[in-house]
Amino acid sequence: MDVAMRSLSFTKFLTILLLVVALPVVAKAQYRYTFRDSLGVYKVEFTPHKSPMGDAQRMGIPVSVGAHEIRLGLAYSAYTPLGYTTDARWTPAWDFCQVDDGSYTSSNPRWYTIGVEGGRWFKEWLYFGGAAVWSGGFDNLYEAYPYPKRSRVYTYMSHNITLMPIVRFAWLRRGIVQLYSGVGLGLSLSFTERVEDRYVLPDVAFDATFVGISVGRDLFGYLDIGAGSRGVISFGVGYRFNNKTKK
């Protein structure tokens, strides 16, 4: 009985050893063939196909490695050297009314923020680019009387230009949807009128995108929520060039 068990164990060991040695040989042999005829010997070798696009060929991702991206969008409550654009007290008309004898009043300021951006995806999850943002503020100074038909005396303006590099990290990529976060740091200049003065005010520009979402592969829409020079809320459209994902 012991001899039979030992023989069986040795047979199992020998079988496993042969499989370990033979499988790589068989697997490799299926890609190599040798043919002989009267003219000589021919060797043919087949190798698995490797896509020139590598990982970018994978299904179900919105953006590929090496894709270039441009964006155009609007924003709400952007940070400028004068403060956030939702703060009514930045306005020169408001300042003027504080030192005036009550003959004038101001309106609520109107702000508009437009941003453009371009960059490249160096990884499926890593983006480097740059942004340029313009935030313009306009505020009217009125005569206080006669109310309510007040006459507009002057329109004060503030133009704020921001330039900064941006890095993004995409932490979810499914189909045409991408979720990401990002940061940016740069320079902002404010060309502003206050009371009767005109001056340029520099400041550090920053951007922190807590969560952003883009929907689409080549042509896409986006919505970012965060804080900084690109706004608390920014949204718009973009386009990706050289985006080699499978549709």
Side-chain angles (χ1 to χ4, degrees), residues 7-185:
S7 177
L8 181 60
S9 299
F10 177 76
T11 303
K12 289 175 63 177
F13 171 77
L14 184 61
T15 302
I16 293 173
L17 179 62
L18 288 174
L19 285 174
V20 171
V21 173
L23 280 176
V25 175
V26 173
K28 192 172 184 179
Q30 65 179 327
Y31 298 115
R32 292 182 178 180
Y33 300 92
T34 301
F35 303 93
R36 292 182 176 85
D37 61 15
S38 59
L39 298 177
V41 180
Y42 307 93
K43 292 184 179 181
V44 180
E45 182 175 346
F46 299 91
T47 57
H49 172 69
K50 293 183 179 180
S51 169
M53 291 184 287
D55 292 339
Q57 194 76 5
R58 294 195 297 108
M59 293 286 289
I61 57 175
V63 61
S64 67
V65 177
H68 292 82
E69 180 176 300
I70 58 173
R71 294 186 176 199
L72 175 64
L74 304 174
Y76 171 76
S77 189
Y79 178 79
T80 73
L82 302 172
Y84 277 91
T85 57
T86 46
D87 181 7
R89 295 195 175 189
W90 77 269
T91 66
W94 186 90
D95 287 349
F96 187 87
C97 293
Q98 306 314 301
V99 299
D100 182 61
D101 59 2
S103 300
Y104 299 94
T105 185
S106 64
S107 62
N108 291 326
R110 305 184 310 278
W111 276 99
Y112 306 93
T113 300
I114 301 174
V116 294
E117 184 184 319
R120 183 177 187 269
W121 288 93
F122 289 86
K123 300 288 185 181
E124 290 178 6
W125 54 270
L126 181 62
Y127 168 92
F128 283 101
V133 182
W134 169 83
S135 293
F138 305 87
D139 188 21
N140 293 324
L141 181 68
Y142 295 94
E143 291 183 349
Y145 304 100
Y147 185 83
K149 294 183 178 181
R150 302 171 298 173
S151 299
R152 182 172 62 87
V153 177
Y154 194 75
T155 298
Y156 290 95
M157 294 179 290
S158 175
H159 299 281
N160 302 271
I161 306 296
T162 296
L163 298 173
M164 61 181 169
I166 288 178
V167 58
R168 288 197 181 97
F169 308 92
W171 39 271
L172 187 146
R173 304 175 300 280
R174 294 290 185 275
I176 63 172
V177 177
Q178 183 183 61
L179 297 180
Y180 53 85
S181 301
V183 293
L185 190 66

Side-chain angles (χ1 to χ4, degrees), residues 82 90 95 190-195 197-202:
L82 302 172
W90 77 269
D95 287 349
S190 177
F191 303 87
T192 303
E193 300 173 308
R194 275 188 185 275
V195 188
D197 296 328
R198 293 179 175 85
Y199 60 91
V200 177
L201 179 65

